[in-house]
Amino acid sequence: MLPQHFLFLLLPLLQFSSGSIAKPGCLDRCGNFSIPFPFGEGPGCYLAPSFEVLCNTSAKPPTPRLNIFRDFGNEILELKSSQIRIKYPNLALTDYVNSTQTQYIVTYDLSNTQFTYSNDNWVTAVGCDDTLTVTGRANRSFAGGCVAYCLSRNDSGGIASCPDDRDALGIGCCRTPIPRGTNNLVIKTNDASSIWGRQRLYRSSFSFVGEKGNSTTQSMFLYRLNDLDKSTSLYFNNSWAAKNTSTIVVRLEDRG
């Protein structure tokens, strides 16, 4: 599925210095990562369930994970006093076969954790005849979306693109922002081919949350349009996602 990165920004009340250490008697390292309090592994070692770390010692080197995302096979890539990055597989798919639509709708729910999604994220949709719908809640409910469109199956040489420039338009791709403090997101794509009076160019579309690009975090997101005909086999294929997806950012912010 979708290995991507999250960034967590700690509440000001819970920030710790670069010299912070684990609680006495608790694991202070997992592989290449220090585990400073309020994070910790094992009972009594972390401040709250949101800060529980699991250390996968069977990996070489050992890799840390956040327990609240254990179902997604995440891995912490960066752990600092103000931020965390983790791999986070979560990809929404809509598949169309013989005029039948099948949707894998994704809900990103942090409402019972210390974390919220940053407005440095956006939602990306890849497809050629598709509308992206995003609903969620920050301090209030919100809704938005965009349209992913291609002129033809060979548009731009069969390569779709999502520019990192936040004001630029892509081919076979669109992006929409989310507000700061978001703790719940639901994303899905829907067929829009009837709007421009044609048959669908490709059978599927995808969407995911990812970090807004900049010169230091990622290059332009590109993918082959033909991948959109691979449908569910592609949806569950880690290698495609690892090669084609961008960085996701999530921040822990004061809900007060």
Side-chain angles (χ1 to χ4, degrees), residues 17-32:
S17 70
S18 58
S20 296
I21 59 175
K23 291 182 69 175
C26 296
L27 186 71
D28 63 355
R29 291 192 68 84
C30 178
N32 299 322

Side-chain angles (χ1 to χ4, degrees), residues 122-132 145-152 155-156 158-176 189 196 198 201-202 204-208 210-211 218-225 228 240 244-246:
W122 50 18
V123 182
T124 298
V126 295
C128 282
D129 295 280
D130 302 278
T131 59
L132 168 67
C146 59
V147 176
Y149 178 77
C150 307
L151 287 172
S152 68
D155 200 356
S156 190
I159 302 296
S161 61
C162 293
D164 288 338
D165 185 338
R166 304 177 191 194
D167 298 319
L169 297 176
I171 297 172
C173 170
C174 71
R175 284 168 161 162
T176 191
T189 54
W196 29 88
R198 70 182 189 190
L201 296 180
Y202 295 95
S204 61
S205 57
F206 302 85
S207 53
F208 55 89
E211 181 180 22
Q218 66 183 65
S219 58
M220 180 182 292
F221 167 50
L222 304 172
Y223 73 96
R224 295 183 301 273
L225 289 174
L228 296 175
W240 182 88
N244 288 284
T245 55
S246 59

Side-chain angles (χ1 to χ4, degrees), residues 180-193:
R180 179 180 180 181
T182 295
N183 58 41
N184 182 277
L185 272 174
V186 180
I187 64 174
K188 63 180 179 179
T189 54
N190 288 286
D191 182 24
S193 59

Side-chain angles (χ1 to χ4, degrees), residues 31-228:
N32 299 322
F33 292 88
S34 298
I35 307 176
F37 190 79
F39 298 93
E41 192 206 42
C45 290
Y46 47 86
L47 180 66
S50 293
F51 300 105
E52 181 179 5
V53 173
L54 303 176
C55 186
N56 179 12
T57 56
S58 62
K60 302 298 180 185
T63 56
R65 297 182 298 151
L66 280 180
N67 188 40
I68 58 172
F69 295 114
R70 62 188 180 277
D71 293 338
F72 302 113
N74 70 85
E75 174 187 338
I76 297 174
L77 301 178
E78 185 177 19
L79 180 59
K80 294 183 177 179
S81 61
S82 61
Q83 61 187 251
I84 308 169
R85 290 178 191 263
I86 68 171
K87 291 182 179 179
Y88 187 84
N90 225 345
L91 181 67
L93 162 73
T94 303
D95 187 37
Y96 309 88
V97 180
N98 298 325
S99 300
T100 299
Q101 175 176 293
T102 302
Q103 284 186 315
Y104 297 84
I105 299 172
V106 169
T107 299
Y108 298 82
D109 190 6
L110 298 178
S111 56
N112 293 320
T113 76
Q114 296 287 108
F115 307 132
T116 63
Y117 291 94
S118 167
N119 59 340
D120 283 336
N121 296 315
W122 50 18
V123 182
T124 298
V126 295
C128 282
D129 295 280
D130 302 278
T131 59
L132 168 67
T133 302
V134 179
T135 57
R137 184 165 187 84
N139 296 324
R140 58 180 176 79
S141 297
F142 63 87
C146 59
V147 176
Y149 178 77
C150 307
L151 287 172
S152 68
R153 286 183 64 91
N154 196 40
D155 200 356
S156 190
I159 302 296
S161 61
C162 293
D164 288 338
D165 185 338
R166 304 177 191 194
D167 298 319
L169 297 176
I171 297 172
C173 170
C174 71
R175 284 168 161 162
T176 191
I178 61 173
R180 179 180 180 181
T182 295
N183 58 41
N184 182 277
L185 272 174
V186 180
I187 64 174
K188 63 180 179 179
T189 54
N190 288 286
D191 182 24
S193 59
S194 61
I195 296 175
W196 29 88
R198 70 182 189 190
Q199 296 294 313
R200 287 188 60 82
L201 296 180
Y202 295 95
R203 65 175 284 178
S204 61
S205 57
F206 302 85
S207 53
F208 55 89
V209 178
E211 181 180 22
K212 293 176 180 177
N214 59 55
S215 59
T216 61
T217 60
Q218 66 183 65
S219 58
M220 180 182 292
F221 167 50
L222 304 172
Y223 73 96
R224 295 183 301 273
L225 289 174
N226 285 338
D227 285 345
L228 296 175

